[in-house]
Amino acid sequence: ELALRESEARYRLLVDNAEDVIWTVDLEGRFTFVNPAVEYQLGYRPEEVIGQRFDRWLTPASAAAAMQRFAAAAMQVMAGQRPEIPQFEGEQIRKDGTQISTHTVAVPLLDEAGRPAAFQGITRNVTERQRLAAAVRESERKYRDLYDNSPDMYAVGHLWDETILDCNQTLARTLGYSRDELIGRPAASLFGPG
Protein backbone atom coordinates (compact mmCIF):
# COMPACT_ATOMS: atom_id res chain seq x y z
CA GLU A 1 0.00 0.00 0.00
CA LEU A 2 2.91 2.35 0.65
CA ALA A 3 4.23 1.71 -2.86
CA LEU A 4 0.81 2.58 -4.28
CA ARG A 5 0.66 5.87 -2.32
CA GLU A 6 4.18 6.76 -3.48
CA SER A 7 3.27 5.97 -7.08
CA GLU A 8 0.12 8.11 -6.82
CA ALA A 9 2.13 10.97 -5.30
CA ARG A 10 4.65 10.84 -8.18
CA TYR A 11 1.81 10.75 -10.72
CA ARG A 12 0.07 13.69 -9.03
CA LEU A 13 3.31 15.70 -8.96
CA LEU A 14 3.86 15.03 -12.67
CA VAL A 15 0.29 15.91 -13.66
CA ASP A 16 0.04 18.99 -11.46
CA ASN A 17 3.30 20.44 -12.82
CA ALA A 18 2.88 19.60 -16.51
CA GLU A 19 2.71 22.53 -18.94
CA ASP A 20 0.28 20.63 -21.15
CA VAL A 21 -3.37 20.32 -20.16
CA ILE A 22 -4.11 16.78 -19.03
CA TRP A 23 -7.80 16.02 -18.89
CA THR A 24 -10.57 13.43 -18.74
CA VAL A 25 -14.06 13.84 -20.20
CA ASP A 26 -17.08 11.56 -19.85
CA LEU A 27 -19.01 10.30 -22.87
CA GLU A 28 -21.12 13.46 -22.82
CA GLY A 29 -17.94 15.50 -23.28
CA ARG A 30 -17.97 16.96 -19.75
CA PHE A 31 -14.67 17.41 -17.96
CA THR A 32 -14.31 15.11 -14.97
CA PHE A 33 -10.66 16.02 -14.44
CA VAL A 34 -8.32 18.76 -15.65
CA ASN A 35 -4.89 19.67 -14.32
CA PRO A 36 -3.80 23.17 -13.25
CA ALA A 37 -2.17 23.85 -16.66
CA VAL A 38 -5.64 24.77 -17.94
CA GLU A 39 -5.28 28.11 -16.16
CA TYR A 40 -2.02 28.90 -17.93
CA GLN A 41 -3.33 27.72 -21.30
CA LEU A 42 -6.93 28.98 -21.28
CA GLY A 43 -7.16 31.32 -18.29
CA TYR A 44 -9.68 29.19 -16.36
CA ARG A 45 -9.08 27.56 -12.98
CA PRO A 46 -9.68 23.79 -12.95
CA GLU A 47 -12.82 24.19 -10.82
CA GLU A 48 -14.30 26.47 -13.51
CA VAL A 49 -13.81 23.74 -16.11
CA ILE A 50 -14.91 20.59 -14.25
CA GLY A 51 -18.46 19.65 -15.30
CA GLN A 52 -18.37 21.81 -18.43
CA ARG A 53 -18.44 20.42 -21.97
CA PHE A 54 -15.07 20.43 -23.74
CA ASP A 55 -16.47 22.02 -26.89
CA ARG A 56 -17.24 25.21 -24.95
CA TRP A 57 -13.59 26.23 -25.42
CA LEU A 58 -13.23 25.19 -29.06
CA THR A 59 -14.10 27.02 -32.24
CA PRO A 60 -17.06 25.39 -34.03
CA ALA A 61 -14.82 23.77 -36.67
CA SER A 62 -12.43 22.42 -34.03
CA ALA A 63 -15.33 21.12 -31.93
CA ALA A 64 -16.77 19.26 -34.94
CA ALA A 65 -13.38 17.70 -35.73
CA ALA A 66 -12.89 16.62 -32.10
CA MET A 67 -16.36 15.07 -31.85
CA GLN A 68 -15.86 13.22 -35.13
CA ARG A 69 -12.56 11.71 -33.95
CA PHE A 70 -13.92 10.76 -30.52
CA ALA A 71 -16.97 9.13 -32.09
CA ALA A 72 -14.81 7.19 -34.57
CA ALA A 73 -12.59 5.88 -31.77
CA ALA A 74 -15.62 4.83 -29.70
CA MET A 75 -17.14 3.04 -32.72
CA GLN A 76 -13.89 1.17 -33.34
CA VAL A 77 -13.83 -0.03 -29.73
CA MET A 78 -17.49 -1.11 -29.95
CA ALA A 79 -16.67 -3.06 -33.12
CA GLY A 80 -13.90 -4.89 -31.27
CA GLN A 81 -11.12 -3.07 -33.09
CA ARG A 82 -8.13 -1.34 -31.64
CA PRO A 83 -9.07 2.32 -31.86
CA GLU A 84 -7.11 4.84 -33.82
CA ILE A 85 -5.89 7.33 -31.24
CA PRO A 86 -7.73 10.60 -31.81
CA GLN A 87 -5.20 13.33 -32.64
CA PHE A 88 -6.01 16.70 -34.02
CA GLU A 89 -4.98 20.31 -34.16
CA GLY A 90 -7.57 22.93 -33.51
CA GLU A 91 -8.33 26.37 -32.20
CA GLN A 92 -9.30 26.99 -28.59
CA ILE A 93 -10.82 30.14 -27.14
CA ARG A 94 -9.19 31.56 -24.02
CA LYS A 95 -11.08 33.26 -21.21
CA ASP A 96 -9.94 36.66 -22.54
CA GLY A 97 -11.45 35.83 -25.97
CA THR A 98 -8.16 35.28 -27.79
CA GLN A 99 -7.59 32.08 -29.73
CA ILE A 100 -4.71 29.66 -29.46
CA SER A 101 -3.74 26.73 -31.65
CA THR A 102 -3.55 23.40 -29.89
CA HIS A 103 -2.58 19.79 -30.59
CA THR A 104 -4.61 17.15 -28.77
CA VAL A 105 -4.01 13.44 -28.32
CA ALA A 106 -6.69 11.36 -26.59
CA VAL A 107 -7.40 7.74 -25.77
CA PRO A 108 -10.67 6.06 -24.85
CA LEU A 109 -10.92 4.72 -21.28
CA LEU A 110 -12.88 1.47 -21.15
CA ASP A 111 -15.22 0.10 -18.51
CA GLU A 112 -15.06 -3.48 -17.16
CA ALA A 113 -17.02 -4.75 -20.18
CA GLY A 114 -14.56 -3.16 -22.62
CA ARG A 115 -16.91 -0.38 -23.69
CA PRO A 116 -15.84 3.27 -23.91
CA ALA A 117 -16.55 5.03 -20.62
CA ALA A 118 -14.55 8.25 -21.03
CA PHE A 119 -11.67 9.84 -22.89
CA GLN A 120 -8.38 10.97 -21.43
CA GLY A 121 -6.01 13.25 -23.24
CA ILE A 122 -3.30 15.84 -23.39
CA THR A 123 -3.65 19.21 -25.10
CA ARG A 124 -0.58 21.28 -25.97
CA ASN A 125 -0.49 24.93 -27.00
CA VAL A 126 1.23 24.98 -30.41
CA THR A 127 0.53 28.61 -31.26
CA GLU A 128 4.19 29.65 -31.13
CA ARG A 129 5.32 26.59 -33.09
CA GLN A 130 2.79 27.38 -35.82
CA ARG A 131 3.81 31.06 -35.84
CA LEU A 132 7.46 30.09 -36.27
CA ALA A 133 6.62 27.58 -39.02
CA ALA A 134 4.65 30.28 -40.87
CA ALA A 135 7.59 32.69 -40.52
CA VAL A 136 9.96 30.07 -41.96
CA ARG A 137 7.59 29.42 -44.89
CA GLU A 138 7.35 33.17 -45.57
CA SER A 139 11.13 33.55 -45.41
CA GLU A 140 11.56 30.62 -47.81
CA ARG A 141 8.97 32.15 -50.16
CA LYS A 142 10.84 35.48 -50.13
CA TYR A 143 14.18 33.77 -50.73
CA ARG A 144 12.70 31.72 -53.59
CA ASP A 145 11.20 34.85 -55.10
CA LEU A 146 14.55 36.68 -54.94
CA TYR A 147 16.38 33.64 -56.32
CA ASP A 148 13.93 33.07 -59.15
CA ASN A 149 13.62 36.70 -60.19
CA SER A 150 17.23 37.81 -59.84
CA PRO A 151 18.72 39.28 -63.01
CA ASP A 152 21.78 37.13 -62.30
CA MET A 153 21.93 33.48 -63.31
CA TYR A 154 22.12 30.99 -60.43
CA ALA A 155 22.48 27.24 -60.29
CA VAL A 156 23.06 24.75 -57.50
CA GLY A 157 24.73 21.45 -58.30
CA HIS A 158 26.87 18.53 -57.23
CA LEU A 159 30.59 19.16 -57.35
CA TRP A 160 31.52 15.58 -58.18
CA ASP A 161 29.44 15.22 -61.33
CA GLU A 162 28.29 18.81 -61.97
CA THR A 163 24.64 17.74 -62.04
CA ILE A 164 22.25 20.69 -61.76
CA LEU A 165 20.07 20.35 -58.66
CA ASP A 166 18.30 23.68 -59.02
CA CYS A 167 18.51 26.88 -61.03
CA ASN A 168 16.68 30.14 -61.28
CA GLN A 169 14.40 31.25 -64.07
CA THR A 170 16.99 33.71 -65.42
CA LEU A 171 19.46 30.90 -66.12
CA ALA A 172 16.77 28.72 -67.70
CA ARG A 173 15.52 31.54 -69.96
CA THR A 174 19.02 32.61 -70.96
CA LEU A 175 19.92 29.04 -72.00
CA GLY A 176 16.55 28.48 -73.70
CA TYR A 177 15.31 25.73 -71.37
CA SER A 178 12.66 25.35 -68.71
CA ARG A 179 13.85 24.88 -65.15
CA ASP A 180 12.54 21.27 -65.22
CA GLU A 181 14.61 20.53 -68.33
CA LEU A 182 17.80 21.73 -66.61
CA ILE A 183 17.42 20.02 -63.25
CA GLY A 184 19.26 16.71 -63.25
CA ARG A 185 21.40 17.48 -66.31
CA PRO A 186 25.17 17.69 -66.19
CA ALA A 187 26.17 21.34 -66.54
CA ALA A 188 28.86 20.43 -69.11
CA SER A 189 26.16 19.09 -71.48
CA LEU A 190 24.75 22.60 -71.84
CA PHE A 191 27.93 24.19 -73.12
CA GLY A 192 29.35 21.52 -75.38
CA PRO A 193 33.01 20.50 -75.49
CA GLY A 194 35.11 23.16 -74.12
Side-chain angles (χ1 to χ4, degrees):
E1 188 170 313
L2 177 62
L4 178 60
R5 279 197 307 266
E6 288 174 352
S7 175
E8 287 174 351
R10 281 192 304 271
Y11 171 75
R12 173 61 63 188
L13 183 66
L14 178 68
V15 169
D16 284 350
N17 291 290
E19 288 186 17
D20 296 336
V21 177
I22 300 171
W23 51 266
T24 305
V25 295
D26 62 21
L27 292 182
E28 294 177 8
R30 297 189 186 283
F31 285 101
T32 57
F33 172 80
V34 64
N35 71 336
V38 73
E39 189 166 3
Y40 169 73
Q41 189 163 301
L42 293 178
Y44 293 94
R45 294 184 319 278
E47 57 271 19
E48 294 178 275
V49 174
I50 300 296
Q52 301 294 321
R53 286 185 48 88
F54 76 91
D55 55 352
R56 175 180 170 186
W57 292 281
L58 296 172
T59 62
S62 296
M67 288 186 207
Q68 178 185 13
R69 287 180 176 84
F70 288 157
M75 297 290 280
Q76 289 170 334
V77 169
M78 296 300 289
Q81 301 169 351
R82 188 166 196 266
E84 183 177 315
I85 295 176
Q87 271 191 67
F88 55 93
E89 291 201 0
E91 299 295 317
Q92 288 191 307
I93 304 165
R94 294 177 41 86
K95 190 174 190 176
D96 65 9
T98 60
Q99 288 187 17
I100 61 170
S101 298
T102 58
H103 179 84
T104 298
V105 178
V107 294
L109 300 176
L110 309 180
D111 63 16
E112 300 79 25
R115 295 181 304 248
F119 282 90
Q120 186 172 52
I122 298 173
T123 300
R124 172 171 288 169
N125 183 341
V126 295
T127 305
E128 184 64 11
R129 183 182 79 193
Q130 288 186 348
R131 187 191 68 73
L132 291 173
V136 167
R137 284 191 303 274
E138 177 62 13
S139 176
E140 289 172 346
R141 186 197 61 75
K142 287 179 182 176
Y143 167 76
R144 174 53 77 180
D145 190 47
L146 285 170
Y147 177 78
D148 280 344
N149 296 307
S150 170
D152 298 319
M153 295 183 288
Y154 290 107
V156 177
H158 287 297
L159 289 176
W160 60 87
D161 67 0
E162 298 178 346
T163 300
I164 298 173
L165 299 175
D166 193 16
C167 67
N168 69 352
Q169 295 295 348
T170 304
L171 176 67
R173 272 193 311 274
T174 301
L175 296 178
Y177 293 94
S178 72
R179 171 190 256 144
D180 290 340
E181 290 173 314
L182 291 176
I183 294 175
R185 290 184 67 164
S189 71
L190 300 173
F191 304 106

